[in-house]
Amino acid sequence: MPALPDTTRGLDDYAASLCDLIESPLVRQITGGIHVNDALIQNAWAALPEEWTAWWASLPDHRLAQHHLIDSIDDYHASITPESDVGVPPESLTRWLEQLRAASLPRAQRAGPCIDLPPELTAQMNTKKIAEVSVAAAFIRDACAERNITHVIDIGSGQGYLSVTLAYLFPQLRVLAIDGSKSQVAASASFTETLGVPQYKLTHLVRYVDRKTPALAEEMAAWADGQKCILVGLHACGQLSEHMLRYFIQLPFIDSLAAVGCCYNHIVPRSPECPDGFPISARLRSRHVTLSATALMTGCQAPNNWERTDLSSPDSTFSNRRLYRAIFEKLLHDKRIDVSAKSRTPWGIRKGDTVSFAKFARRAMHSLGVDKEAVSDEELIEYDERYRHCKGQIAILWTLSVLCCKLVESVIALDRYCYLVEQGASEVDVVPIFDYRVSPRNLMMVARKEGV
């Protein structure tokens, strides 16, 4: 059973309250109902509670509002010194922010083992990866010892930091590292050879993992050779985590699971074309829970870990870019310029593009193949003057959109937890295994099987 917020009375109560909040009109609006790029088209500012927008508008700098919002969802918010110029926010905003924070799964790192990695392993790792592997390797070592497991299957192994560490440090373990990238596997194999790790200790497979890979299941079974295994993944991207859960349930030789997910924007929602998509649990499917593409991207954010803005310095070009994008979308809408058939991927903002809206718009039009004669220079200047006062509004709307990051991730973790329980797994848990301030994707799905 995962640690639940203090405000809930058991899993049923928590699941109901979390689903109610994620499905509420306000959360729906800010996590994709009105995308920040369409804020001026759909008048998103006016759709927010009036007493909130009035208070934000009264502040001398919109960045004060952003700081207040981000601080309010921090697990350590009680120790944060509030901005002196913020004043007293509306009571309804305070209640809503507290509800948002309280509904999210606790993220404080759970006490557990950690090992000191030797320099020959850490030479290729950054500080974040060292912190992650030090804890994950110790957790997996202890889980294997407790269940008498000698075989580890690392899915989405990447450059092999975890799999190489396990094979190098623990003589009793055999590791199968699987990844879909030839270059990543090649880097891992090279690293393995440099350390002198024999192939029988660490075997590499280049395989793309999806829900329709019976051949991979057979390869894993052949490698296991009758030995029970633990299935692990250190930041298995998007749907890869869901595929891992299904492998754990379906393959009898896999005894245990320890997987940390990430890149939720790559999760595929359930549809007729993808019946196995999110949500995967019967509990959340019965609630018809959905997460928009914007919400899934929100789940990848960690605003509490961002560098704090220096209010004495000018506002960043990032705020200009957000504002100009919203104005540009409004311009396209008003002029009935259809770019739906064109690529809407980022066109690579260059230095100088955010100096003025005119430069931004001309660059965007060129990249999207819009005839430069479709919009005059005078119109660009007019739109800039009409909407430049909305800069603070767009910045706050964007901050609101990422404010639900922990809430969205909690929904995803709850779905995966419920799926494992529904499928008969035992000792299912959601462990905040890493220090959130170092590695915000820190929720590890843990499960075991009875009688394996």
Side-chain angles (χ1 to χ4, degrees):
M1 171 74 73
L4 300 176
D6 296 335
T7 55
T8 57
R9 300 182 300 275
L11 184 66
D12 290 341
D13 178 55
Y14 175 68
S17 61
L18 180 63
C19 290
D20 286 344
L21 186 55
I22 202 73
E23 293 165 356
S24 63
L26 180 57
V27 172
R28 284 290 184 195
Q29 175 192 333
I30 65 179
T31 58
I34 303 179
H35 194 281
V36 67
N37 290 343
D38 300 323
L40 299 179
I41 296 173
Q42 300 189 39
N43 202 6
W45 187 253
L48 298 173
E50 185 176 357
E51 61 179 340
W52 299 8
T53 57
W55 180 65
W56 289 327
S58 71
L59 299 177
D61 190 324
H62 67 266
R63 291 175 291 179
L64 289 167
Q66 292 178 285
H67 287 180
H68 169 259
L69 289 170
I70 292 172
D71 290 347
S72 296
I73 65 162
D74 197 301
D75 289 339
Y76 307 94
H77 72 296
S79 63
I80 295 174
T81 303
E83 301 280 0
S84 58
D85 294 335
V86 168
V88 181
E91 184 179 349
S92 61
L93 175 58
T94 300
R95 286 197 307 269
W96 182 77
L97 290 170
E98 177 57 28
Q99 184 183 20
L100 203 65
R101 190 187 69 82
S104 302
L105 287 172
R107 307 303 290 276
Q109 184 179 20
R110 190 178 298 181
C114 182
I115 56 177
D116 291 327
L117 301 178
E120 59 266 30
L121 287 176
T122 61
Q124 299 186 34
M125 302 183 195
N126 58 28
T127 302
K128 176 175 176 288
K129 188 59 66 177
I130 292 172
E132 293 169 349
V133 173
S134 298
V135 174
F139 183 94
I140 294 166
R141 174 203 61 192
D142 290 359
C144 289
E146 184 177 350
R147 302 284 286 188
N148 195 28
I149 294 173
T150 58
H151 285 56
V152 180
I153 301 176
D154 183 6
I155 288 189
S157 55
Q159 295 189 51
Y161 297 125
L162 177 61
S163 52
V164 172
T165 296
L166 293 171
Y168 182 72
L169 292 183
F170 308 128
Q172 74 279 17
L173 296 183
R174 305 290 183 270
V175 183
L176 176 64
I178 304 171
D179 197 274
S181 169
K182 290 183 179 180
S183 61
Q184 295 270 56
V185 170
S188 178
S190 176
F191 188 25
T192 303
E193 185 177 356
T194 300
L195 293 171
V197 178
Q199 187 173 356
Y200 78 90
K201 283 277 292 171
L202 177 53
T203 304
H204 291 90
L205 277 181
V206 179
R207 297 291 185 272
Y208 179 76
V209 181
D210 60 21
R211 62 188 179 89
K212 297 178 180 179
T213 52
L216 178 57
E218 293 172 3
E219 287 181 291
M220 289 191 289
W223 174 83
D225 193 25
Q227 300 296 313
K228 62 182 181 179
C229 304
I230 182 172
L231 186 63
V232 305
L234 184 51
H235 293 130
C237 292
Q239 251 189 324
L240 181 57
S241 290
E242 297 172 0
H243 300 326
M244 289 181 65
L245 267 57
R246 291 191 172 95
Y247 276 127
F248 166 72
I249 293 297
Q250 295 168 4
L251 302 183
F253 58 90
I254 297 181
D255 169 88
S256 302
L257 172 75
V260 182
C262 72
C263 302
Y264 303 122
N265 52 306
H266 292 305
I267 289 176
V268 179
R270 190 186 186 201
S271 67
E273 294 74 28
C274 184
D276 292 336
F278 174 88
I280 60 175
S281 69
R283 183 189 287 268
L284 267 65
R285 285 185 176 184
S286 68
R287 291 287 306 247
H288 304 289
V289 172
T290 59
L291 292 173
S292 68
T294 300
L296 292 170
M297 183 63 77
T298 292
C300 302
Q301 303 298 324
N304 296 126
N305 289 16
W306 296 345
E307 185 177 353
R308 200 171 184 85
T309 304
D310 181 2
L311 297 177
S312 65
S313 64
D315 198 3
S316 66
T317 57
F318 185 74
S319 292
N320 282 341
R321 187 172 67 183
R322 285 288 177 190
L323 172 64
Y324 291 163
R325 179 63 185 270
I327 298 176
F328 183 65
E329 295 290 349
K330 175 65 172 169
L331 175 65
L332 294 177
H333 177 268
D334 291 350
K335 297 283 290 183
R336 297 184 179 181
I337 299 174
D338 184 12
V339 293
S340 59
K342 303 179 185 298
S343 172
R344 300 304 300 273
T345 57
W347 48 80
I349 301 299
R350 300 180 303 193
K351 186 177 182 180
D353 286 348
T354 56
V355 170
S356 69
F357 173 64
K359 284 186 175 294
F360 180 93
R362 288 300 183 198
R363 167 87 167 126
M365 291 170 63
H366 172 75
S367 299
L368 291 170
V370 176
D371 185 353
K372 64 180 181 180
E373 301 298 328
V375 183
S376 68
D377 291 341
E378 290 75 19
E379 286 175 307
L380 294 178
I381 294 172
E382 191 271 329
Y383 267 76
D384 185 15
E385 292 176 347
R386 187 193 306 176
Y387 293 111
R388 67 175 57 171
H389 73 280
C390 297
K391 182 176 182 178
Q393 297 177 9
I394 299 298
I396 292 171
L397 284 165
W398 179 80
T399 303
L400 282 172
S401 74
V402 301
L403 208 64
C404 295
C405 55
K406 296 177 185 176
L407 191 71
V408 169
E409 190 169 18
S410 296
V411 172
I412 295 169
L414 175 67
D415 179 50
R416 294 172 178 177
Y417 172 88
C418 290
Y419 171 80
L420 290 170
V421 172
E422 291 164 3
Q423 297 299 316
S426 66
E427 301 181 54
V428 185
D429 202 353
V430 182
V431 180
I433 190 168
F434 306 131
D435 183 344
Y436 185 86
R437 290 164 293 188
V438 176
S439 183
R441 306 283 77 79
N442 74 336
L443 297 180
M444 174 180 277
M445 302 301 305
V446 177
R448 292 170 173 173
K449 289 177 181 173
E450 293 287 355
V452 174

